[in-house]
Amino acid sequence: MRTELTNGFGKVYFTTEYDATTQWVYNNWLGYQTYVGVIAGADACLHPLRENACSYLLNDNRQVLGPWDHAVEWIASDWAPRASSQGLTHFAHVVSPETMAAQSAQSMFLGIGGRLHMRMFARLDEAQQWLREAQQHSVTR
């Protein structure tokens, strides 16, 4: 089931859903991100991860504008430990081509990269391929 979050202007800024075919949760972030919005979106994706016992997250920031460093510390200290404790192991993050958003992504990576298997990608297809390979490795173990 797809969840959409809207901002104060009624515009969708985040969607999340579990894809049963790929067996990962897909987050799509859109536009400028507020601190409150990032918290709401990050928390919203925990539900489909937990509900589907899913270990894989594809976080798509290609359409994000501007920085979101104001939420990086919270992601690293609050969200990542909760996501990890409920079974998230692999986090593929597709970076926005917008410079300020990309810098925020780098800060997030530094904050949580050691807690989860996390990789950053410029292209969606590369992130998807990495998740598929991670899933194949976990099956063969």
Side-chain angles (χ1 to χ4, degrees):
M1 180 168 97
R2 180 178 164 132
T3 299
E4 288 186 350
L5 300 181
T6 56
N7 63 21
F9 301 106
K11 293 197 61 125
V12 174
Y13 72 88
F14 173 80
T15 64
T16 187
E17 66 185 316
Y18 176 73
D19 183 332
T21 304
T22 61
Q23 297 183 343
W24 61 59
V25 171
Y26 174 71
N27 290 344
N28 190 27
W29 298 86
L30 309 154
Y32 292 96
Q33 301 298 317
T34 65
Y35 179 76
V36 171
V38 170
I39 290 173
D43 279 344
C45 86
L46 291 176
H47 179 72
L49 286 167
R50 182 176 50 252
E51 187 175 82
N52 296 285
C54 182
S55 299
Y56 304 93
L57 177 63
L58 178 54
N59 200 56
D60 189 347
N61 273 28
R62 291 176 297 162
Q63 298 178 66
V64 169
L65 301 171
W68 44 273
D69 341 8
H70 46 272
V72 168
E73 174 59 33
W74 177 85
I75 292 167
S77 65
D78 189 303
W79 180 84
R82 290 186 293 132
S84 179
S85 72
Q86 72 177 43
L88 180 65
T89 59
H90 289 77
F91 186 140
H93 183 83
V94 184
V95 179
S96 170
E98 206 265 341
T99 305
M100 297 300 284
Q103 289 174 346
S104 297
Q106 183 63 33
S107 296
M108 180 183 67
F109 176 75
L110 294 172
I112 69 170
R115 182 178 302 278
L116 302 166
H117 296 285
M118 181 181 174
R119 292 260 321 261
M120 295 192 333
F121 301 89
R123 295 182 12 207
L124 183 65
D125 62 334
E126 294 171 343
Q128 293 167 325
Q129 181 61 33
W130 179 73
L131 286 174
R132 281 191 292 270
E133 289 171 4
Q135 289 169 324
Q136 290 171 350
H137 282 63
S138 70
V139 169
T140 59
R141 285 185 184 165

